[in-house]
Amino acid sequence: GAVVSQHPSRVICKSGTSVKIECRSLDFQATTMFWYRQFPKKSLMLMATSNEGSKATYEQGVEKDKFLINHASLTLSTLTVTSAHPEDSSFYICSARVGGIGGRYNGGYTFGSGTRLTVV
Amino acid sequence: QKEVEQDPGPLSVPEGAIVSLNCTYSNSAFQYFMWYRQYSRKGPELLMYTYSSGNKEDGRFTAQVDKSSKYISLFIRDSQPSDSATYLCATMFSGGYNKLIFGAGTRLAVHP
């Protein structure tokens, strides 16, 4: 089946530094990738939608300059948390839609395994 | 009002019990309905999806959608300790690469 590989799985960084999270679609082309944030015992909050070759669309309240998204190829999307602070500590997850004949949904959203970011 | 409402639980049941998980949604235009399972510190994995109203069965899992009452259900028969996870309902509109809209997730614990 379609796999999205997400790295790193866990990262600890100092306050003020930047962290890059990568998501790669291993056996399919991901035209669109979604980035989520999840707080402990809470649901997934969509941060942004990234489309290959164009600017990401951010959800209301998400800082574009803090959470930089790049989707330069059909198999790679990255999220960079810039000048990270302790309040940015969270679980970040990417997701890509897989196929679907004529764009028809076939249940094919696949998720990465997530990145636990801790800012100290 | 949230677009998708889901009781976060936690829900604790003995092994072998039938589990019923539920969500309600507000927008009648939603067409696709999904259930995801998420183990701790992992990404969600798709369990089942349904288009419009009706039932869908896969092994011990049954998904039901009642569009008239805007109600989504997931039933787990003969629950196992390995079913212990957070279950997220999700929905989306028909057509295009639309975003998923998730419920809060229900934490389920199945004890031996």
Side-chain angles (χ1 to χ4, degrees), chain A residues 82-120:
Chain A
T82 62
S83 187
H85 291 283
E87 58 265 30
D88 299 324
S89 299
S90 193
F91 193 56
Y92 293 88
I93 311 173
C94 61
S95 172
R97 177 171 169 162
V98 184
I101 299 173
R104 183 182 177 88
Y105 178 71
N106 64 351
Y109 281 89
T110 189
F111 286 80
S113 55
T115 297
R116 181 159 302 281
L117 170 63
T118 303
V119 185
V120 298

Side-chain angles (χ1 to χ4, degrees), chain B residues 29-102:
Chain B
F30 289 137
Q31 291 287 344
Y32 291 100
F33 305 93
M34 286 71 73
W35 284 95
Y36 285 84
R37 177 174 62 196
Q38 185 178 24
Y39 292 110
S40 181
R41 299 193 176 102
K42 298 291 183 183
E45 56 177 327
L46 180 68
L47 276 177
M48 305 190 67
Y49 81 95
T50 310
Y51 176 71
S52 194
S53 281
N55 294 359
K56 193 169 186 178
E57 188 173 320
D58 184 2
R60 297 185 294 111
F61 298 89
T62 299
Q64 287 185 352
V65 176
D66 182 347
K67 292 198 74 180
S68 63
S69 58
K70 300 189 183 71
Y71 202 77
I72 316 165
S73 300
L74 178 71
F75 299 96
I76 307 174
R77 292 183 297 280
D78 188 24
S79 56
Q80 303 295 309
S82 58
D83 294 329
S84 298
T86 296
Y87 290 81
L88 299 137
C89 62
T91 184
M92 61 180 275
F93 298 104
S94 177
Y97 289 80
N98 287 297
K99 60 185 181 183
L100 295 174
I101 300 167
F102 284 92

Side-chain angles (χ1 to χ4, degrees), chain A residues 26-106:
Chain A
L26 295 188
D27 48 5
F28 69 100
Q29 293 181 333
T31 307
T32 301
M33 200 163 283
F34 304 90
W35 286 93
Y36 294 86
R37 183 174 181 176
Q38 187 175 31
F39 292 101
K41 299 179 182 178
K42 298 292 184 183
S43 189
L44 282 75
M45 181 190 78
L46 180 66
M47 299 174 65
T49 303
S50 78
N51 294 294
E52 184 268 336
S54 63
K55 289 184 178 180
T57 302
Y58 290 80
E59 295 297 303
Q60 191 173 11
V62 178
E63 297 178 62
K64 300 178 184 181
D65 295 333
K66 167 161 278 293
F67 300 101
L68 300 179
I69 291 173
N70 185 283
H71 195 158
S73 78
L74 287 171
T75 59
L76 174 65
S77 179
T78 61
L79 167 67
T80 301
V81 183
T82 62
S83 187
H85 291 283
E87 58 265 30
D88 299 324
S89 299
S90 193
F91 193 56
Y92 293 88
I93 311 173
C94 61
S95 172
R97 177 171 169 162
V98 184
I101 299 173
R104 183 182 177 88
Y105 178 71
N106 64 351

